[in-house]
Structure formats: structure tokens, C-alpha cells
């Protein structure tokens, strides 16, 4: 199935206030086309909460709940169990940012995964706390300039590499883990559909290029997502009960330098820093594919 | 049945036919969760039990479940309540009548597990009804009444029945339990005001600008005020059905002609009642006002007994540093404009016993019309 085969109407409607070129609305809109109307959506505090509706306006056509920032998976558990008790079938879906997932939300996420709650947890990963003004998160890549890891005179951006969240979730041996990218639409749709059909805990992790935080031209979001995959900065795979069942291997492996080139957040990187980032990608690549890139 | 306060709490939830329970253990609340787990695993109830990974998640899950239109229950204490703090405001602002017994335990540091009210009292502004129980019968009955009060359409607020750590939570007492049928007649199935349902989509808790939030705060305040009437009506109705009278927000004991009145909450009340009887036998005109509710605060009831009294003493098992006991602060506020002396007695913090001698001392200080307002009893090395 292709993106063109999806229904025209989404339950996440136009009229939201995301920045131009933001990948998050595209992720949510397409997923909602697949999840359908018997869905209850939770969002924690993040960009999506703010741009999807400021009372009395709302871009959601399904029941929608917000409580707080760190509790997405716990709130989804509450929704799923209430509906289990009611004896009705609904899909409980949460859309959390990387901050709400990698950092403050990981406790609730890990707990719900371990309990194998019947919910879908989606992390749209824009690699920083965008809603509060581009601060570093556990998802921010090495070297990136954020407002809390500024490229200063002494320290040039973030000193640590990105945490491997999908692997952490895979270690929970939940029914389904998938990493996704909006640049690979067919893969995106298939994984979303699969997640819908499986029951138990499902974790979908989507790279979500953010022109504002990454500082690139808003027309280039899909291109950024594609280059992330081609460079190995972002990998696409599926895992069922902890076993990788499907890996997407890019035909062409491009250097990391090519990916970071158009992004203001990496503008200050020295050749040594670019090498450090490339080494990290190579290690990750080797772990996943068992060989170094050609 | 002869049961602990914790068992009475869990049994109360069972009788109220709760749908979803999400909880996390903490001494001395643990037994509540354990007992409820037994009910579930023995097939006595088909409630959904979510043994979450923290209290923050417990309250988050209860809020979400209750927003889906089902009756929820959790329980906590001390550090657990403090961890929930953020979510308590969300439960009340979303007008979800969740019921959560709190077993009052001292808040670290240093870490201790015994009775103190400094865990629940700081939550006075979270928008929850807060009640305190004197014995295990009151615990059971209060849980049933809590749902009835909180779920009223003119209230719609969450409720926190408080019980003293160990003194009630782990102490067995005879408790008269109504049948589930009787409770079902008193407390019909939960009929939510609004719920998340794909058949009629709506949003709850959205991002809201300054043009709207103040009105919601006002409505919450009005609901809390209305709760006073609801409490009176529900306790009355409970009395008619079950024969146990809880007299609304307070209980007056020999206050009619009393010159010196001690105001208490929780288990100290039992001790104080005995002291009042003994002093009355000696011809002293003393009385006792038991506060059943901290929120809403029974200001009118307090003013009524203060009308002809010579002095009022407020007993506190918690301290608001730099000011005095939380009940004292409230009481003085309620008695604004009155000229009688108002004393504050702090005793039993950290779980130390409050004895009859301590209570006698409180009356003594009042009757001697001593100077000063705040008295710490039994504080070694500190003179009073
Ligand atoms: C307990 C708590 N701490 C901090 C915040 C402030 N806060 C709101 S959104 C946010 C960042 C969200 O970042 P992320 O999850 O990555 O989503 P994004 O905004 O990037 O889409 C923060 C720190 C909060 N709402 N609650
Ligand atoms: S800051 Fe980034 S993630 Fe947030 S709305 Fe703008 S583009 Fe999207």
C-alpha cells in the first residue's frame, strides 16, 4: 500500500499551527488515517499538544486527552484498562516527543512495556525539546547546538551521543517495536498497519525532522529524513518480542557529513567532531548489519 | 468483621464496585493494595488492577481511566503522595471524582514511617476534598460516602480520606460492613458527567489560553463550597440507610456550654474525648470539636462553637514552618474578628504517641490563659 491509497480524510485535520515544514503533523495525520475512528489519543506536553489545538480550537476528530508530560504510557494504560473493563474495543495511542520518551517519560514507558499494556506508543523524535525552545534531550546527537548545549567558545555543542531508545524498547521484548521515517512511506504505512493489528505493547519510533530546531529550509524535511536513513544516522527495522524481523538496508550509504551539511545545528562541527559522529554511526551500523559500510 | 484500617479501605473500594485500580505500594498503605490484589485474584471482583511502576503513574492512569467513564481507586502515603503532587491538581481540575485513601505518614527527611499529617496537609490547595478518620469504621464508611459526595453533579471533585499510619492502618478493630447490595442502593453505578468515547469525540485537558482558565478555577472553588451541603446531605442519607451518623463536616462533643474547646482531627480525637469526660467529672467546662474535613474547611462550624467559648485550642500533627500548624492557620483565619485566644498545640510529630497527659496539658494551658500562641508538647529540651 502507498500513501496515495490512504483515505483522503484524516482524523487529524488541517488548521493546526505547526511550523512550516514540521514533520510531526505528517506523521500524525498519516497514522490517524490508518488507526481510524475507534481511537483515543493521548499527548503529553510537547509541540504537538500546542500546535494541534489551543482551546477552543482542535485538530483532532477523535477523543483526545492531555494530562502531563512524563506519563504518556501510564495514561495509555488507564485508557486501555478502562475500555477493557467496559468491554469495548478502542485503540489507545500516545504521541510523545523524544524528551517525553527518552528522558522524563522513560519510567512510565518501561513500566507499561513490562506490563505489556495493550497500547500503541508513538515517539516522534525531533532530537530535542522543541516546545520549550530547543534544549538538549537524550535523543540529541553528538555535537548538536541546542540552547542548553550551545556551540560556545569552549564547548562546541552536545558532548554525548544519542541514546538508543529503540534498542531499549527492544530489550523489553514487547510484541512490536518499529523504527520509521516519513521519507520511506510504504514502510511507514506497513508498519503502522501492522502495529494496529497486533495487540499488546507496541512502540513506534519515527524520526521527525524539525526545521526550526535543526535549522534547515522548511522545504527539505523529507530530504533530511531520507539522508538520515541513507547515512545510517537513523535506521529502519522491526522487532517482534525482541527479535529483529526486518531491517531496511539503504542501497547507498552516504557519509554523515552529507546529512549534517544543510543543518544549522551542526554548522560549527570540526573535522574531528564529524569523525566522532561518523565513528558512532559506523559502530551502530556494524552492530545492526554486522559489517562496515562500503 | 475485625479488620485493619487498610483492609477497611480496600473493602470499601470493593463494596463501591470500582472498575479500575492503579496503585503502587508504600508502607503503611501496602496492605490496601495487597488486599485489593487478593480480591481480584480470588475472583471476588473483576476490576482491572494496574500495578504501575510509581505513584505518579498510578494517579495518571486513574485520571485517564476515570476520564473514560469508569470508577477508579488508588491509595498512597507520604513520599508516594508527594510524588503524585503534580497529578492531584489535574484530577481535580478535570473534575474527576477519584477516591484515594491516604495513610498519613511522616514525610522525609529523616525517613520515618509513623503517623504525621505533613504529607496530606500540603495538598490542601490541590482541589481535593480531604477528610480524616478517627477509627476503622469511619474509614470504611467514609470511602463509601466519598464516592457519593465526589460524584454528585454539583461537586465532581476527587476525595482523599485520611487515616493515621499504624494507629489505624495496621490496627484491627471491629467494623460493621454493609452488604454490597445495600451499598449499591446507596451508591448507584457511576454515571460520568463526560467521558472519552469514539462515538462522541471530545477533548479533555487541552492547551488553554488565559481567556478561559480563570472561570474554571472559579467553578472549582464553587464546587468545593457546594461540597459542604453535599456532605451534610450524604452523611444524613448514610445515617438513614446504615444507622451510623457522621454529622456533616464536624462532630461536636460536649461543646454546648464549654468554655475551653479543643479542636482535633484523626485518632487523637478518641484520646481527647476521654480527657474531656474526665475533666467534666472534675467540673471543668471543656469540650471537643472533631474536624472531619480539612477541605472544604468547616469555618462556620468552628465559629459556632467559638461563639461562647473563652479559649480555643487547635491540635496539629503537622507544621507549616514559620507559621504554625496547618489546622491552626485555617482556624485562626475562620475566627477572624473574634477576640478569644486561639492556641496551637503541636504534638505527635514523627509518630510519637499523643497521650492523655498531653491532651490534659493542652486544656491546662488554655485554662491558665497563658500567653503565647504556639506550644510544642513533649519537645525534649525545649521549654513551653
Ligand atoms: C514535569 C514537567 N517538566 C517540564 C515541562 C516543560 N516541558 C513542556 S514540553 C517540554 C519539552 C517537550 O519536548 P519533547 O518531548 O521532545 O517534544 P517536542 O516539544 O520536541 O515536540 C518540556 C520540557 C513540563 N510540562 N512538565
Ligand atoms: S519547533 Fe519543530 S517540532 Fe515543533 S512545531 Fe516547529 S518544526 Fe515542528
Amino acid at each position: 500500500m502507498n500513501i496515495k491509497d490512504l483515505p483522503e480524510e484524516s482524523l487529524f485535520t488541517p488548521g493546526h499551527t505547526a511550523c512550516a515544514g514540521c514533520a510531526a503533523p505528517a506523521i500524525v495525520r498519516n497514522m490517524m488515517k490508518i488507526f481510524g475512528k475507534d481511537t483515543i489519543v493521548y499527548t503529553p506536553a510537547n509541540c504537538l499538544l500546542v500546535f494541534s489545538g489551543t482551546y477552543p480550537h482542535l485538530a483532532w476528530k477523535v477523543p483526545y486527552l492531555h494530562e502531563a508530560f512524563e506519563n504518556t504510557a501510564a495514561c495509555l494504560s488507564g485508557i486501555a484498562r478502562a475500555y477493557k473493563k467496559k468491554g469495548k474495543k478502542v485503540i489507545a495511542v500516545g504521541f510523545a516527543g523524544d524528551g517525553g520518551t527518552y528522558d522524563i517519560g522513560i519510567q512510565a514507558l518501561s513500566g507499561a512495556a513490562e506490563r505489556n499494556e495493550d497500547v500503541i506508543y508513538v515517539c516522534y523524535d525531533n532530537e530535542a525539546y522543541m516546545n520549550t525552545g530547543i534544549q538538549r534531550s537524550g535523543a540529541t546527537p553528538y555535537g548538536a547546538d541546542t540552547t542548553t548545549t550551545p556551540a560556545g567558545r569552549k564547548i562546541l555543542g552536545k558532548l554525548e551521543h544519542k541514546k538508543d531508545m529503540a534498542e531499549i524498547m527492544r530489550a523489553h521484548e514487547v510484541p512490536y517495536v518499529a523504527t520509521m521515517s516519513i521519507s520511506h512511506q510504504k514502510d511507514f504505512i506497513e508498519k503502522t498497519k501492522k502495529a494496529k493489528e497486533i495487540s499488546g505493547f507496541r512502540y513506534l519510533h519515527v524520526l521527525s525532522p524539525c526545521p526550526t530546531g535543526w535549522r534547515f529550509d522548511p522545504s527539505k524535511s523529507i530530504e533530511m529524513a531520507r539522508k538520515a536513513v541513507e547515512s545510517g544516522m537513523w535506521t529502519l527495522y522491526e522487532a517482534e518480542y525482541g527479535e529483529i524481523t526486518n531491517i531496511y538496508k539503504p542501497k547507498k550509504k552516504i557519509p554523515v557529513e552529507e546529512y549534517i551539511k544543510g543543518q544549522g545545528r551542526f554548522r560549527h562541527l570540526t573535522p574531528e567532531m564529524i569523525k566522532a559522529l561518523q565513528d558512532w554511526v559506523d559502530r551502530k551500523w556494524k552492530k545492526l548489519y554486522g559489517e562496515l559500510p562500503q | 468483621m475485625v479488620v485493619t484500617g487498610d483492609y477497611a479501605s480496600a473493602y470499601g473500594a470493593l463494596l463501591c464496585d470500582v472498575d479500575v485500580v492503579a496503585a503502587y505500594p508504600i508502607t503503611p498503605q501496602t496492605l490496601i493494595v495487597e488486599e485489593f490484589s487478593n480480591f481480584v485474584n480470588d475472583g471476588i471482583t473483576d476490576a482491572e488492577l494496574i500495578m504501575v511502576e510509581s505513584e505518579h503513574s498510578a494517579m495518571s492512569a486513574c485520571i485517564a481511566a476515570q476520564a473514560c467513564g469508569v470508577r477508579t481507586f488508588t491509595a498512597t502515603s507520604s513520599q508516594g503522595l508527594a510524588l503524585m503532587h503534580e497529578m492531584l491538581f489535574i484530577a481535580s481540575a478535570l473534575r474527576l471524582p477519584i477516591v484515594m485513601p491516604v495513610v498519613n505518614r511522616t514525610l522525609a527527611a529523616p525517613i520515618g514511617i509513623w503517623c504525621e499529617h505533613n504529607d496530606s496537609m500540603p495538598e490542601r490547595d490541590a482541589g481535593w476534598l480531604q477528610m480524616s478518620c478517627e477509627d476503622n469504621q469511619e474509614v470504611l464508611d467514609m470511602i463509601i460516602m466519598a464516592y457519593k459526595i465526589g460524584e454528585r453533579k454539583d461537586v465532581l471533585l476527587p476525595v482523599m480520606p485520611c487515616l493515621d499510619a499504624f494507629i489505624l492502618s495496621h490496627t484491627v478493630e471491629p467494623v460493621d460492613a454493609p452488604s454490597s447490595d445495600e451499598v449499591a442502593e446507596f451508591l448507584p453505578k457511576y454515571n460520568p458527567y463526560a467521558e472519552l468515547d469514539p462515538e462522541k469525540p471530545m477533548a479533555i485537558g487541552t492547551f488553554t489560553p488565559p481567556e478561559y482558565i480563570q472561570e474554571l478555577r472559579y467553578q472549582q472553588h464553587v464546587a468545593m463550597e457546594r461540597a459542604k451541603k453535599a456532605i451534610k446531605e450524604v452523611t444524613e442519607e448514610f445515617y438513614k440507610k446504615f444507622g451510623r451518623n457522621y454529622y456533616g463536616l464536624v462532630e461536636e462533643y460536649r461543646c454546648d456550654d464549654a468554655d475551653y474547646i479543643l479542636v482535633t482531627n484523626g485518632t487523637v480525637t478518641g484520646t481527647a474525648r476521654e480527657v474531656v469526660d474526665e475533666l467534666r467529672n472534675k467540673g471543668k467546662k471543656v469540650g471537643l470539636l472533631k474536624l472531619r474535613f480539612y477541605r472544604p474547611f468547616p469555618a462556620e462550624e468552628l465559629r459556632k462553637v467559638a461563639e461562647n467559648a473563652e479559649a480555643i485550642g487547635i491540635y496539629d500533627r503537622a507544621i507549616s514552618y514559620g507559621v504554625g500548624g496547618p489546622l491552626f492557620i485555617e482556624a485562626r483565619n475562620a475566627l477572624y474578628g473574634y477576640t478569644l485566644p486561639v492556641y496551637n498545640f503541636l504534638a505527635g510529630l514523627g509518630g510519637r504517641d499523643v497521650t492523655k497527659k498531653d491532651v490534659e496539658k493542652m486544656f491546662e494551658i488554655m485554662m491558665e490563659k497563658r500567653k503565647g500562641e504556639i506550644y510544642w508538647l513533649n519537645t525534649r529540651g525545649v521549654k513551653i
Side-chain angles (χ1 to χ4, degrees):
Chain A
M1 192 186 222
N2 216 308
I3 204 119
K4 290 187 219 74
D5 306 322
L6 289 178
E8 184 57 38
E9 204 202 343
S10 173
L11 298 152
F12 183 76
T13 66
H16 57 75
T17 55
C19 311
C22 179
I27 294 167
V28 173
R29 189 172 57 247
N30 289 318
M31 282 193 174
M32 287 310 297
K33 286 184 182 186
I34 294 165
F35 293 144
K37 85 171 225 328
D38 288 331
T39 299
I40 297 182
V41 167
Y42 180 82
T43 61
N46 55 28
C47 273
L48 174 63
L49 165 78
V50 178
F51 74 64
S52 71
T54 297
Y55 183 84
H57 307 286
L58 199 70
W60 299 95
K61 283 192 174 173
V62 291
Y64 169 81
L65 176 67
H66 165 72
E67 291 180 28
F69 185 28
E70 59 283 61
N71 54 4
T72 303
C75 299
L76 293 176
S77 307
I79 294 169
R81 298 294 195 98
Y83 266 88
K84 188 171 170 216
K85 182 74 195 350
K86 284 173 147 190
K88 279 197 228 165
K89 185 93 188 116
V90 299
I91 306 173
V93 182
F95 291 101
D98 50 288
T101 302
Y102 284 67
D103 301 337
I104 201 166
I106 193 171
Q107 175 177 299
L109 171 57
S110 177
E114 183 269 329
R115 294 191 303 273
N116 196 26
E117 299 285 354
D118 190 11
V119 304
I120 301 179
Y121 188 109
V122 181
C123 172
Y124 71 95
D125 183 357
N126 53 29
E127 303 191 322
Y129 297 107
M130 297 308 177
N131 183 42
T132 39
I134 326 174
Q135 295 87 18
R136 64 94 82 190
S137 80
T140 306
Y142 170 79
D145 172 43
T146 71
T147 51
T148 51
T149 58
R153 281 190 212 112
K154 190 173 162 205
I155 301 171
L156 295 176
K158 196 191 178 207
L159 296 175
E160 307 80 21
H161 286 291
K162 185 180 171 106
K163 171 155 79 177
D164 201 337
M165 196 62 213
E167 284 298 281
I168 293 171
M169 293 317 294
R170 188 158 80 84
H172 284 72
E173 299 181 5
V174 291
Y176 193 57
V177 171
T179 56
M180 303 148 77
S181 168
I182 47 159
S183 54
H184 294 65
Q185 293 172 4
K186 195 166 166 334
D187 182 76
F188 180 100
I189 292 165
E190 276 163 9
K191 285 171 176 169
T192 308
K193 283 183 127 182
K194 193 157 169 185
K196 185 185 175 183
E197 279 148 26
I198 292 171
S199 53
F201 197 87
R202 290 144 283 168
Y203 178 78
L204 303 181
H205 196 161
V206 196
L207 185 69
S208 183
C210 161
T212 309
W214 299 10
R215 284 177 281 139
F216 63 79
D217 187 295
S219 65
K220 300 235 174 342
S221 303
I222 309 282
E223 191 183 316
M224 283 303 155
R226 179 168 297 109
K227 282 185 173 169
V229 174
E230 285 175 354
S231 64
M233 281 288 285
W234 188 251
T235 46
L236 300 179
Y237 61 90
E238 286 176 293
E240 286 168 53
Y241 297 96
E243 294 264 344
I244 293 188
T245 48
N246 171 33
I247 306 188
Y248 172 81
K249 191 172 174 185
K251 285 190 197 65
K252 185 173 74 166
K253 175 93 167 47
I254 62 166
V256 162
E257 200 166 358
E258 181 92 1
Y259 165 64
I260 65 177
K261 209 164 49 189
Q263 301 180 32
R265 61 176 174 161
F266 293 119
R267 200 165 40 203
H268 57 282
L269 259 58
T270 62
E272 295 76 40
M273 290 176 82
I274 295 174
K275 180 163 185 312
L277 201 52
Q278 184 69 61
D279 287 349
W280 174 78
V281 167
D282 291 350
R283 279 200 302 278
K284 201 161 74 117
W285 188 276
K286 194 169 177 198
K287 202 170 107 195
L288 198 62
Y289 297 105
E291 63 188 58
L292 278 176
Q294 299 313 309
Chain B
M1 55 189 195
V2 181
V3 296
T4 63
D6 277 1
Y7 189 93
S9 304
Y11 199 74
L14 179 75
L15 288 176
C16 294
D17 195 20
V18 296
D19 297 298
V20 173
V21 174
Y24 191 78
I26 178 168
T27 304
Q29 161 267 35
T30 14
L31 300 178
I32 302 180
V33 185
E34 290 171 6
E35 300 297 1
F36 204 87
S37 306
N38 284 333
F39 299 149
V40 172
N41 282 16
D42 288 341
I44 296 167
T45 169
D46 61 357
E48 281 294 317
L49 177 67
I50 324 181
M51 287 311 301
V52 285
E53 73 300 321
S54 80
E55 287 87 352
H56 192 285
S57 285
M59 187 45 63
S60 300
C62 282
I63 292 169
Q66 188 101 18
C68 290
V70 302
R71 192 176 276 157
T72 67
F73 178 78
T74 184
T76 193
S77 178
S78 186
Q79 310 301 123
L81 183 64
L83 185 60
M84 267 183 197
H85 179 70
E86 182 191 25
M87 302 313 297
L88 297 183
F89 288 76
I90 295 166
S92 60
L94 296 182
R95 310 294 296 275
L96 299 169
I98 298 162
V99 172
M100 171 172 72
V102 167
V103 183
N104 283 126
R105 159 185 157 183
T106 192
L107 199 60
I111 189 164
I113 54 171
W114 294 274
C115 178
E116 196 172 283
H117 298 159
N118 64 344
D119 54 355
S120 60
M121 295 239 158
E123 302 299 352
R124 61 168 196 206
D125 298 332
W128 286 57
L129 272 69
Q130 251 191 59
M131 43 172 75
S132 52
C133 304
E134 186 184 337
D135 54 32
N136 294 348
Q137 182 70 58
E138 200 169 358
V139 171
L140 177 77
D141 293 345
M142 278 295 166
I143 294 208
I144 300 165
M145 284 186 276
Y147 280 108
K148 180 99 176 180
I149 297 162
E151 288 175 9
R152 272 176 57 141
K153 297 287 185 277
D154 56 347
V155 178
L156 289 178
L157 288 174
V159 188
M160 191 187 292
C162 298
L163 53 149
D164 285 352
F166 296 103
I167 308 168
L168 293 186
S169 66
H170 285 61
T171 306
V172 294
E173 286 178 345
V175 168
D176 192 359
S179 73
S180 49
D181 288 345
E182 282 173 306
V183 175
E185 282 165 25
F186 177 75
L187 180 76
K189 226 171 152 49
Y190 182 46
N191 175 22
Y193 178 75
E195 67 191 294
L196 293 170
D197 181 349
E199 298 307 318
K200 32 182 187 339
M202 68 179 293
I204 296 183
T206 50
F207 193 61
T208 301
E211 290 88 81
Y212 302 99
I213 294 186
Q214 186 165 317
E215 285 71 15
L216 301 177
R217 299 286 176 262
Y218 173 71
Q219 287 175 338
Q220 264 177 278
H221 177 68
V222 170
M224 189 61 90
E225 288 286 329
R226 284 202 202 118
K228 292 180 181 173
K229 186 163 163 274
I231 289 161
K232 284 176 192 143
E233 289 171 6
V234 170
T235 46
E236 182 81 39
E237 202 184 320
F238 189 90
Y239 173 56
K240 285 200 187 117
K241 177 125 190 91
F242 300 103
R244 285 185 293 278
N245 194 338
Y246 289 95
Y247 313 98
L249 286 89
V250 299
E251 182 187 321
E252 277 182 40
Y253 187 68
R254 304 184 85 162
C255 281
D256 276 351
D257 62 338
D259 291 333
Y260 303 97
I261 293 170
L262 183 66
V263 179
T264 61
N265 70 349
T267 52
V268 164
T269 310
T271 314
R273 205 180 270 114
E274 266 186 55
V275 173
V276 165
D277 285 344
E278 285 169 17
L279 291 174
R280 279 276 177 179
N281 288 344
K282 290 183 192 160
K284 312 278 187 205
K285 288 168 95 178
V286 294
L288 169 69
L289 185 75
K290 162 178 157 176
L291 300 183
R292 201 171 278 113
F293 281 80
Y294 179 49
R295 281 291 179 274
F297 191 78
E300 259 168 62
E301 287 78 356
L302 187 70
R303 283 197 285 271
K304 182 184 155 253
V305 299
E307 209 61 62
N308 301 309
E310 302 221 345
I312 292 256
I314 317 290
Y315 166 75
D316 263 295
R317 206 167 196 145
I319 171 78
S320 179
Y321 302 105
V323 187
L327 286 178
F328 174 62
I329 298 168
E330 297 294 338
R332 255 202 330 197
N333 183 34
L335 295 174
Y336 178 75
Y338 282 59
T339 50
L340 83 174
V342 183
Y343 296 96
N344 190 194
F345 304 116
L346 291 143
L349 278 81
R352 193 170 300 174
D353 261 358
V354 183
T355 63
K356 272 165 61 176
K357 249 177 91 186
D358 296 328
V359 178
E360 276 163 28
K361 181 100 195 163
M362 298 176 201
F363 278 111
E364 216 172 89
I365 291 168
M366 279 196 267
M367 291 189 286
E368 285 172 8
K369 298 237 167 63
R370 286 208 206 159
K371 291 255 178 295
E373 287 182 327
I374 300 182
Y375 289 88
W376 289 76
L377 272 69
N378 262 336
T379 306
R380 285 187 299 261
V382 181
K383 284 212 186 90
I384 59 163

